[in-house]
Amino acid sequence: MKRFILLVDDHELTRAGCRLLVTRLDDFEISAELDVGAGVIQQVSKNRPDLMILDVRLPDMNGLSLLAELVDVHQMPVLILTGQDDPRDFAFALRMGARGVVRKNDPSSIIIDAIQAIDRGETYVSGSVSNMLAEMDEPKVELSPRQAAILHYLSVGETNKEIAYKLKIAMPTVSFHIAEMRRKLGVDSNKLILNAAKGAGLL
């Protein structure tokens, strides 16, 4: 049975390369492509792809914001395929529940391995990404994927109401997780969360 992939990347060359790679895999097919974030959630809700390949930098939105909703609400297995070199993005994507992170300049065999590993339910991080992550200090605080998603939304200025809407959860649930983050970070005010998170290596 074919496994269907939704590909979201704003670079035509990247999408063409992914199409070519996937033709090497008998069990996989790219069912749809998008070059912007708008429309991704509708595609997922309507067609339920088995896996998504997502760039974290899209022209119309932050791919990490999209990742948070895809993982938390739709339980979508997501492979981050990025041309960025900031390991903080890699680490944050993994904390939010991305199932894999590879770079666009990784060998094609690595991207194929990542697709197959994620489809088996595994987490896959390429060697180049692992090396960059190894150079980072370990975060001093451990957040759940949902807390990491909420922290991301707070960092881009979303309100509790907006976060609740995007994650399809009740506002008291958002407040509970924010209170848990305050406790873990050792602060007594929501205004101090972002600075404390940066100091703890979470942002």
Side-chain angles (χ1 to χ4, degrees):
M1 183 182 295
K2 285 282 188 183
R3 309 288 286 165
F4 294 108
I5 298 173
L6 173 59
L7 174 60
V8 184
D9 194 290
D10 61 322
H11 295 100
E12 171 57 33
L13 283 176
T14 299
R15 297 198 306 276
C18 286
R19 284 196 299 271
L20 183 61
L21 283 180
V22 172
T23 61
R24 302 182 194 174
L25 301 170
D26 293 336
D27 297 334
F28 294 87
E29 178 181 319
I30 292 179
S31 57
E33 298 178 25
L34 292 169
D35 59 2
V36 292
V40 168
I41 298 301
Q42 291 89 331
Q43 274 281 347
V44 169
S45 299
K46 181 180 178 182
N47 298 317
R48 293 303 304 174
D50 298 292
L51 185 150
M52 180 182 298
I53 298 174
L54 174 67
D55 192 357
V56 293
R57 292 285 184 266
L58 297 170
D60 62 334
M61 67 175 63
N62 186 324
L64 291 175
S65 295
L66 193 55
L67 172 68
E69 186 171 352
L70 288 165
V71 171
D72 198 278
V73 178
H74 299 278
Q75 290 78 53
M76 176 60 53
V78 178
L79 170 62
I80 298 296
L81 177 63
T82 179
Q84 301 300 312
D85 291 324
D86 190 342
R88 291 173 299 180
D89 282 348
F90 308 156
F92 208 60
L94 291 167
R95 284 190 206 107
M96 283 197 291
R99 294 280 285 278
V101 182
V102 297
R103 298 171 70 206
K104 291 181 180 180
N105 59 0
D106 280 327
S108 58
S109 60
I110 294 293
I111 299 171
I112 288 175
D113 287 347
I115 291 171
Q116 293 174 322
I118 290 170
D119 189 58
R120 292 192 300 267
E122 301 168 11
T123 297
Y124 190 98
V125 178
S126 73
S128 66
V129 172
S130 293
N131 290 339
M132 296 175 75
L133 290 173
E135 295 176 0
M136 294 180 63
D137 293 331
E138 283 291 322
K140 301 170 185 175
V141 174
E142 189 68 32
L143 300 182
S144 70
R146 175 163 285 180
Q147 288 166 357
I150 291 172
L151 178 62
H152 168 73
Y153 282 129
L154 290 174
S155 74
V156 296
E158 302 280 12
T159 65
N160 287 18
K161 184 176 181 180
E162 289 167 333
I163 295 170
Y165 176 79
K166 289 186 174 180
L167 295 182
K168 306 294 189 292
I169 57 179
M171 281 185 60
T173 303
V174 176
S175 297
F176 167 78
H177 284 296
I178 290 175
E180 278 294 288
M181 283 191 281
R182 286 201 311 268
R183 180 184 65 78
K184 290 180 178 182
L185 292 166
V187 297
D188 57 9
S189 165
N190 289 358
K191 294 179 180 179
L192 300 176
I193 286 176
L194 294 182
N195 282 339
K198 289 175 184 175
L202 293 170
L203 286 174

